[in-house]
Amino acid sequence: KQEVTQIPAALSVPEGENLVLNCSFTDSAIYNLQWFRQDPGKGLTSLLLIQSSQREQTSGRLNASLDKSSGRSTLYIAASQPGDSATYLCAVNAGANNLFFGTGTRLTVIP
Amino acid sequence: NAGVTQTPKFQVLKTGQSMTLQCAQDMNHEYMSWYRQDPGMGLRLIHYSVGAGITDQGEVPNGYNVSRSTTEDFPLRLLSAAPSQTSVYFCASSYRDREQFFGPGTRLTVL
């Protein structure tokens, strides 16, 4: 069974800092990996999708990388802002869009 | 497009009651899924469907039933609610193994 781990569980940074969130998974046979953002009491918002054949994907201040062979992905957030405060979830697609989720990293950006 | 919609937003049930959580999408997505989110455990897949008339079990299917008679709708039925089913339920849809879109969730409490 696919296991997904996210480290750290919580992170607090001052505004403007660049930061990296980590995600690791145990089975490298994946279709793709998706990063989500979740605000308290809300649903999930898709941030980036990386296909298994890709190494990285960028959207604005966000950059996600994927190293399938080592079972790792990172989400890089540049020039963090207070509005980036949320929980970030990593999910691995094992096929038929069955997603296995990590427990998330709770990010707080301090003004 | 309304995207993925879920009703109700909140529900309180007594042990043994049954109910149906509704999910609909207007993006003509083939794949639809139900997840539950519990503190400290991340999101876990309950049931999924890869098209009308086709459903399958996910990681935690016990106590839940699904059917998919149309592309748009994917209801989740709780047959006899138990306190262990207290959770936040999310419905999601995607075009095959592409980016997955989530609904706003249903908060269910079983007393």
Side-chain angles (χ1 to χ4, degrees), chain A residues 9-86:
Chain A
L11 181 64
S12 186
V13 301
E15 182 177 1
E17 193 161 295
N18 302 326
L19 59 102
V20 174
L21 307 180
N22 296 294
C23 172
S24 61
F25 48 95
T26 54
D27 188 344
S28 62
I30 66 170
Y31 281 72
N32 54 51
L33 183 146
Q34 199 166 351
W35 282 94
F36 295 90
R37 168 190 173 131
Q38 186 175 31
D39 293 288
K42 303 292 186 183
L44 280 67
T45 300
S46 177
L47 297 174
L48 288 165
L49 173 76
I50 313 180
Q51 297 293 349
S52 62
S53 58
Q54 294 178 312
R55 296 285 291 184
E56 66 178 72
Q57 194 69 256
T58 298
S59 175
R61 294 184 293 109
L62 305 180
N63 176 277
S65 69
L66 175 64
D67 184 341
K68 207 172 68 157
S69 60
S70 68
R72 294 185 183 190
S73 176
T74 62
L75 179 66
Y76 174 83
I77 302 177
S80 58
Q81 302 170 358
D84 294 331
S85 297

Side-chain angles (χ1 to χ4, degrees), chain B residues 1-43:
Chain B
N1 285 355
V4 181
T5 58
Q6 293 183 238
T7 56
K9 285 186 168 46
F10 301 93
Q11 183 70 48
V12 178
L13 291 178
K14 293 181 180 177
T15 297
Q17 287 185 315
S18 63
M19 78 159 296
T20 299
L21 307 185
Q22 301 291 346
C23 174
Q25 53 91 10
D26 61 359
M27 296 174 281
N28 203 30
H29 285 167
E30 297 165 296
Y31 289 12
M32 295 186 75
S33 307
W34 276 102
Y35 295 85
R36 60 178 287 174
Q37 186 175 34
D38 301 293
M41 299 194 71
L43 281 87

Side-chain angles (χ1 to χ4, degrees), chain A residues 1-2 31-32 34 36 38 40-49 51 89 93-104, chain B residues 31 33 35 37 40-45 48-50 57-59 90 93-105 107:
Chain A
K1 180 195 155 193
Q2 179 75 263
Y31 281 72
N32 54 51
Q34 199 166 351
F36 295 90
Q38 186 175 31
K42 303 292 186 183
L44 280 67
T45 300
S46 177
L47 297 174
L48 288 165
L49 173 76
Q51 297 293 349
L89 299 168
N93 179 2
N97 240 351
N98 290 347
L99 298 186
F100 287 86
F101 282 83
T103 51
Chain B
Y31 289 12
S33 307
Y35 295 85
Q37 186 175 34
M41 299 194 71
L43 281 87
R44 292 177 293 167
L45 182 67
Y48 66 98
S49 169
V50 297
Q57 297 180 351
E59 187 183 354
F90 289 102
S93 76
S94 67
Y95 176 71
R96 299 188 181 173
D97 283 306
R98 303 271 179 91
E99 185 180 17
Q100 198 154 147
F101 296 89
F102 280 73
R107 288 185 177 275

